[in-house]
Amino acid sequence: MGQFEMSSQKIGIVGSGLIGRAWAMLFAAAGYRVQLYDILESQLSLALQELDKDLHGLEEKGSLRGSLRASEQFALIEVTTRLEELTRQAVHIQECVPEVLQLKRSLYTQLDELLEEQTVVASSTSTFMPSLYSEGLKRRQQMLVAHPLNPPYFIPLVEIVPAPWTSPQSVERTHNLMLTIGQRPVTLKKEIQGFATNRIQYAILNEVWRLVGSGILSVADVDRVLSQGLGLRYALLGSLETAHLNAPGGVADYFQRFGGEISAVSATYGETPNTKEDRETLEEIARQCEQLVPLESLEERRVTRDEFLTQLAKLKKLFE
């Protein structure tokens, strides 16, 4: 299977929306048998149509992952409306239902009665710590979070987040599984609200909100700080390795030199902005964003983003 490991093992996916379909393509690209679950036959029929179109579209562009042809990957994907069928002989189930805690609790209560001993259930949630929906369940040691970044097909990072009771074996198996499909997992030692990606992402969003809201920078310029500056570094190096390279004596030297300045600047950040209630700043940011990318052009811009990420991934491989 080229760089990935071919497998005839079964993967279950709960939810046939955008993220569920992306996971289906990732697992099928690595040769896994995929079973997609949803409550409506009509939703599953639509999902199969979208998957067929997306796989062949990627193949035409030369962006299809794995060594199997699009038709071969599509043949590995089947659907069901029965949870008991989904859980049968599955080594892994990837949950992709909407971000509604009560919905997740209800689903996991059902899965708890059906799961086999070998199955790990991973949620794609970006919102809920795994303890919030797995507490008290018999199979809770088999449950964790495997949070992808959107779009998962083009961004390889997956955050693996265990609940306090998740077994080390479940964490290790999920980590290894992500590697077999070409993703790049990071494992949190314990759960924390926002995981890692969103905690870092929200820190950036809070500061760019303050900079635009204070009239210091325009939307275009504050985004350019990332796209033409920091983001170019971070496409190859993380922030700590960047600091490590930016001082003669490495990262310890860097923080000795600049630690005081970092603390002084950080002390000026002020309160965390209320991005939901600050309508004035939100309206100004939205106005400028829509000047840059009109709402009717969002899909076109998303396509450009995905094509860029595909080419960037190819470039990164040259440096790995």
Side-chain angles (χ1 to χ4, degrees):
M1 186 68 204
Q3 63 179 321
F4 305 137
E5 179 181 323
M6 196 71 164
S7 176
S8 61
Q9 293 178 308
K10 175 183 171 182
I11 303 293
I13 297 175
V14 180
S16 61
L18 187 65
I19 300 300
R21 296 197 305 270
W23 279 115
M25 292 194 296
L26 288 169
F27 284 113
Y32 286 92
R33 294 185 296 113
V34 178
Q35 191 167 59
L36 197 59
Y37 166 86
D38 217 310
I39 57 175
L40 297 175
E41 290 277 6
S42 58
Q43 183 66 30
L44 290 169
S45 296
L46 178 62
L48 287 175
Q49 293 174 24
E50 292 294 319
L51 284 165
D52 193 25
K53 181 182 73 173
D54 290 345
L55 287 168
H56 283 90
L58 289 164
E59 187 172 52
E60 289 170 9
K61 295 176 183 177
S63 301
L64 187 69
R65 292 173 63 159
S67 62
L68 296 174
R69 296 191 303 273
S71 58
E72 294 173 316
Q73 294 185 24
F74 182 69
L76 289 170
I77 303 171
E78 60 182 32
V79 298
T80 183
T81 56
R82 297 170 58 233
L83 274 180
E84 59 269 28
E85 183 179 358
L86 182 82
T87 55
R88 193 175 304 127
Q89 297 183 326
V91 296
H92 179 91
I93 293 176
Q94 190 71 35
E95 172 264 301
C96 310
V97 303
E99 299 282 60
V100 179
L101 184 56
Q102 192 52 47
L103 176 62
K104 289 187 186 291
R105 285 175 171 161
S106 175
L107 171 66
Y108 278 80
T109 299
Q110 295 176 69
L111 289 172
D112 195 41
E113 299 298 325
L114 298 170
L115 285 182
E116 297 173 359
E117 188 175 356
Q118 79 283 352
T119 311
V120 175
V121 184
S123 177
S124 299
T125 183
S126 63
T127 304
F128 300 121
M129 294 184 292
S131 62
L132 293 176
Y133 54 80
S134 63
E135 185 172 10
L137 299 180
K138 293 179 296 184
R139 297 283 189 180
R140 63 183 187 170
Q141 75 276 7
Q142 298 167 230
M143 299 172 182
L144 45 69
V145 164
H147 169 232
L149 270 66
N150 191 35
Y153 198 85
F154 301 106
I155 299 181
L157 183 72
V158 178
E159 296 180 289
I160 299 174
V161 186
W165 39 77
T166 305
S167 71
Q169 293 81 6
S170 295
V171 173
E172 182 181 9
R173 287 173 56 193
T174 305
H175 183 275
N176 292 338
L177 177 64
M178 293 300 132
L179 290 176
T180 69
I181 64 172
Q183 300 302 87
R184 294 292 180 265
V186 297
T187 301
L188 279 66
K189 301 297 189 292
K190 60 181 180 180
E191 64 179 12
I192 186 172
Q193 190 170 2
F195 315 147
T197 300
N198 279 337
R199 292 180 74 87
I200 295 168
Q201 179 173 240
Y202 293 165
I204 294 171
L205 284 172
N206 283 333
E207 183 53 21
V208 300
W209 182 282
R210 285 187 286 252
L211 289 170
V212 175
S214 300
I216 294 170
L217 280 172
S218 67
V219 165
D221 279 348
V222 82
D223 272 1
R224 200 169 287 122
V225 168
L226 291 169
S227 66
Q228 301 299 322
L230 294 174
L232 296 178
R233 290 175 177 170
Y234 293 163
L236 177 64
L237 311 170
S239 56
L240 291 175
E241 188 179 358
T242 294
H244 194 49
L245 299 183
N246 278 355
V251 69
D253 185 21
Y254 180 90
F255 282 106
Q256 285 298 311
R257 289 169 179 259
F258 303 112
E261 180 185 349
I262 292 169
S263 296
V265 172
S266 300
T268 70
Y269 286 167
E271 294 183 0
T272 301
N274 189 332
T275 55
K276 184 177 181 180
E277 300 297 333
D278 183 358
R279 302 299 303 178
E280 182 179 353
T281 302
L282 177 57
E283 288 172 5
E284 179 58 23
I285 288 175
R287 183 187 68 80
Q288 292 188 46
C289 281
E290 289 168 26
Q291 284 181 337
L292 294 170
V293 184
L295 296 179
E296 60 270 20
S297 300
L298 286 177
E299 187 56 38
E300 181 182 352
R301 187 63 171 159
R302 291 183 187 116
V303 171
T304 300
R305 174 201 64 190
D306 293 351
E307 290 176 352
F308 173 82
L309 291 171
T310 300
Q311 297 305 315
L312 181 61
K314 294 176 182 177
L315 179 63
K316 282 175 65 67
K317 286 179 182 177
L318 299 176
F319 295 91
E320 290 179 348

